């Protein structure tokens, strides 16, 4: 086999994986879920799940990648021929997500452009966002720009593209997030929001809280879509796997928590404590926040910084999605990076256009009230990902056995501190929870029951 590309060192690997993990999910979805499902209680549940369940699945995926040295399709197949389908399903997830994620990435660049050119007040207009996304050429143009930027990084390769960009963007992202969070906390009325975010409200906690936290965890850690397998295949054997996973988790959870600090108190200050503003879902980032920025002193600058950081978060995630697809094709067909990268970019451009137009000229296409983009999101996140994660647990727990993973983890210094927990979670706890998540998300989408 040809020499595989590698991340140059542990820091490069950790930052690239954290770059994948930290994305739009951390910045708008996490704060909004925390606000909706019990504040402090949600935070606590999320944290517990992250260090048990998230840790276990991430270790398993990275170890699978590093052990086999190939991306998802080949990784599963090379260990057991019957599981080739699992690699295929896992690789299908980024194929579905990448195009529409880039559509949203395009919206982020557009908002950055508006803020940096002094358009705070425009962006705060009531119909600004819907007017923009229901257009044709504008959103497609921004989408293609975002896609093009992602493609350039991927074409530059693992070490010279992905690693370099992550090493620059991730530290900047942390600093910018802290700046906005600190500024937000100084606004009048922000403290009430802070208390709301951190204090447990038992009344909002139910079985659904755990499932919501679990679903978010998956998406946020970029699990069950072959990404961590691919990145693991670029990790050197001398880099410590267990501590890398701890650091990636710390990064991802830390940024999610800070995003809550950045958004919830500011929205509270703006709305005078009316928390319904937080439950706007996706509208939170593109409709509510611009209004919040427009109402604050230095709102133009803060808004610009905010969209820069969201752009960094989205770009590093999109890179991991694209790299996973490119890597599957390169491994399977032996094509060059350049050819594969260009091909994948063209395919993603074609596939993303319907998602973009789904808010405008194609808005008549809808299924159970969802637009094209929402349908893609539902199929990948709520259906395919739990299925892939479930079979990954079965595969590791009962086919290759947890010891195969433990041996890979121990290569560096013979230690795997959380091995006992890993064994129990991968064989029993995780599969049971995954079946619950899958049933509940399908049942609630079909309107059969909602927890
Ligand atoms: N983990 C990213 C986030 O939190 C989302 C993502 C999903 C990234 C899929 C890559 C692939 O937003």
């Amino acid at each position: 086999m040809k020499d595989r590309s590698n991340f140059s060192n542990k820091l490069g690997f950790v930052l690239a994986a954290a770059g994948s993990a930290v994305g739009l999910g951390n910045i708008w979805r996490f704060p909004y879920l925390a606000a909706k499902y019990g504040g402090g209680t949600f935070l606590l549940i999320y944290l517990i799940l992250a260090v048990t369940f998230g840790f276990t699945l991430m270790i398993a995926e990275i170890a699978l990648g590093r052990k086999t040295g190939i991306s998802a399709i080949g990784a599963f197949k090379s260990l057991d021929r019957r599981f080739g389908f699992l690699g295929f399903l896992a690789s299908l997830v980024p194929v579905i997500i990448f195009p529409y994620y880039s559509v949203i990435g395009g919206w982020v660049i557009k908002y950055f452009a508006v803020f940096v050119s002094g358009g705070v007040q425009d962006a705060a207009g009531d119909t600004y966002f819907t007017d923009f996304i229901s257009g044709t050429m504008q959103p497609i143009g921004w989408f293609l720009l975002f896609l093009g930027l992602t493609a350039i990084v991927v074409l530059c390769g693992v070490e010279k593209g992905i690693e370099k960009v992550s090493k620059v963007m991730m530290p900047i992202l942390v600093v910018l997030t802290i700046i906005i969070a600190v500024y937000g906390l100084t606004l009048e009325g922000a403290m009430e929001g802070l208390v709301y975010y951190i204090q447990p409200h038992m009344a909002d906690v139910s079985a659904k809280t755990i499932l919501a936290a679990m679903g978010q965890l998956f998406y946020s850690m970029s699990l069950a879509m072959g990404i961590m397998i691919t990145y693991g295949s670029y990790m050197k054997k001398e880099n410590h796997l267990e501590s890398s996973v701890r650091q990636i988790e710390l990064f991802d959870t830390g940024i999610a928590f800070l995003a809550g600090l950045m958004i919830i108190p500011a929205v509270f200050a703006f709305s005078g404590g009316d928390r319904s503003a937080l439950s706007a879902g996706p509208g939170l980032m593109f409709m509510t926040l611009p209004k919040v920025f427009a109402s604050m002193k230095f709102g133009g600058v803060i808004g610009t910084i905010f969209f820069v950081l969201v752009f960094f978060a989205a770009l590093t995630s999109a890179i991991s999605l694209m790299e996973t697809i490119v890597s599957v094709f390169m491994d399977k067909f032996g094509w060059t990076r350049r050819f594969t990268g260009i091909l994948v970019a063209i395919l993603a451009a074609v596939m993303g256009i319907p998602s973009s137009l789904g808010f405008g000229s194609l808005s008549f296409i809808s299924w159970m009230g969802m637009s094209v983009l929402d349908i893609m999101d539902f199929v990948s996140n709520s259906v395919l990902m739990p299925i892939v994660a479930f079979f990954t647990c079965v595969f590791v727990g009962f086919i290759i056995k947890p010891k195969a993973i433990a041996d890979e983890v121990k290569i560096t210094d013979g230690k795997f501190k959380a091995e006992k927990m890993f064994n129990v979670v991968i064989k029993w706890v995780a599969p049971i929870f995954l079946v619950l998540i899958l049933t509940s998300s399908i049942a609630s989408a079909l309107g059969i029951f909602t927890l």
Side-chain angles (χ1 to χ4, degrees):
M1 200 171 85
K2 269 189 300 180
D3 241 1
R4 196 168 180 76
S5 332
N6 272 314
F7 289 111
S8 58
N9 55 23
K10 184 175 167 203
L11 182 71
F13 169 75
V14 168
L15 289 181
S20 169
V22 173
L24 299 168
N26 300 57
I27 297 172
W28 71 258
R29 200 154 176 266
F30 182 87
Y32 135 77
L33 289 176
K36 181 166 169 196
Y37 292 111
T41 326
F42 182 90
L43 296 180
L44 186 67
I45 293 175
Y46 187 88
L47 209 62
I48 295 173
L49 292 176
V51 296
T52 51
F53 185 82
F55 170 82
T56 300
L57 273 153
M58 191 177 279
I59 285 264
E61 290 199 14
I62 296 177
L64 276 173
R66 192 172 74 172
K67 184 178 168 64
T68 56
I70 26 181
S71 52
I73 294 195
F76 287 108
K77 206 167 169 184
S78 71
L79 294 171
D80 188 312
R81 292 206 67 77
R82 292 167 301 172
F83 278 76
F85 82 94
L86 184 53
F88 176 79
L89 282 185
S91 311
L92 197 59
V93 180
V95 171
I96 300 176
I97 298 186
F98 181 46
Y100 82 76
Y101 202 82
S102 303
V103 168
I104 305 178
W107 301 350
V108 173
I109 309 189
K110 151 84 181 177
Y111 270 69
F112 163 72
V114 172
F115 272 84
V116 80
S117 55
V120 207
Q121 298 302 334
D122 296 342
D126 280 335
T127 58
Y128 189 83
F129 180 57
T130 37
D131 288 347
F132 165 60
I133 58 169
S134 59
T136 302
M137 291 325 276
Q138 266 239 24
I140 291 184
W142 293 107
F143 153 58
L144 294 178
L145 175 63
F146 183 87
L147 186 61
L149 293 171
T150 311
I152 291 174
V153 179
V154 171
L155 284 169
C156 289
V158 175
E159 197 183 331
K160 297 211 179 71
I162 304 176
E163 179 172 334
K164 255 204 182 127
V165 165
S166 310
K167 276 184 170 163
V168 174
M169 289 190 173
M170 297 313 287
I172 300 182
L173 189 148
V174 176
V175 175
L176 297 183
T177 312
I178 295 175
I179 294 177
I180 303 196
V182 170
Y183 180 73
L185 287 171
T186 64
L187 300 171
E188 205 185 309
M191 279 307 140
E192 201 191 326
L194 176 66
V195 172
Y196 180 77
Y197 178 38
I198 294 185
Q199 204 176 52
H201 336 255
M202 292 315 283
D204 298 336
V205 177
S206 64
K208 186 129 197 224
T209 307
I210 301 181
L211 294 187
M214 191 87 122
Q216 169 65 10
L217 183 71
F218 256 98
Y219 185 73
S220 189
M221 299 209 169
S222 303
L223 295 170
M225 47 186 128
I227 292 182
M228 291 300 162
I229 300 182
T230 305
Y231 275 21
S233 75
Y234 302 140
M235 185 188 194
K236 290 186 177 157
K237 298 270 185 198
E238 71 249 30
N239 296 153
H240 203 280
L241 214 152
E242 188 174 16
S243 65
S244 302
V245 171
R246 291 274 179 230
Q247 288 161 7
I248 299 166
E249 280 193 312
L250 187 67
F251 215 111
D252 188 59
T253 311
I255 292 283
F257 178 72
L258 281 172
L261 280 185
M262 174 167 79
I263 291 176
I264 298 178
V267 170
F268 254 68
F270 167 77
S271 65
D274 172 14
R275 63 189 173 104
S276 63
L278 283 171
S279 50
L284 177 63
M285 188 149 91
F286 297 104
M287 300 202 287
T288 315
L289 284 178
K291 287 193 201 311
V292 174
F293 295 137
S295 75
M296 32 163 109
K297 233 198 210 157
F298 312 118
V301 181
I302 298 290
T304 309
I305 300 180
F306 176 78
F307 283 104
V308 172
L309 79 84
V310 178
F311 168 67
F312 284 7
L315 187 71
T316 45
S317 293
I319 289 170
S320 71
L321 286 165
M322 180 165 174
E323 176 63 26
T324 301
I325 306 172
V326 166
S327 172
V328 163
F329 282 122
M330 285 172 64
D331 287 345
K332 183 134 184 87
F333 301 110
W335 293 338
T336 62
R337 173 169 289 272
R338 173 181 286 213
F339 173 76
T340 321
I342 295 174
L343 183 76
V344 170
I346 295 174
L347 288 177
V350 173
M351 283 176 65
I353 289 176
S355 287
S356 181
L357 293 179
F359 299 97
S361 50
L362 294 183
S363 59
F364 59 90
I365 305 180
S366 101
W367 180 57
M368 299 189 307
M370 295 187 275
S371 69
V372 182
L373 194 152
D374 294 322
I375 297 171
M376 303 275 187
D377 184 75
F378 174 74
V379 171
S380 51
N381 295 324
S382 305
V383 182
L384 279 174
M385 284 167 62
I387 295 180
V388 171
F390 173 79
F391 282 107
T392 306
C393 293
V394 172
F395 180 74
V396 172
F398 299 94
I399 308 289
I400 63 167
K401 304 279 159 52
K403 186 171 175 304
I405 298 292
D407 290 344
E408 181 64 34
V409 175
K410 288 180 193 163
I411 282 185
T412 331
D413 65 358
K415 293 198 189 91
F416 181 9
K417 290 193 202 123
E419 183 172 357
K420 284 212 178 78
M421 177 192 80
F422 174 82
N423 291 344
V424 178
V425 175
I426 199 100
K427 286 179 98 158
W428 310 108
V429 185
I432 294 173
F433 266 107
L434 286 162
V435 171
L436 289 177
I437 294 190
L438 184 65
T439 326
S440 119
S441 62
I442 294 181
S444 70
L446 297 178
I448 303 174
F449 68 80
T450 332
L451 280 175

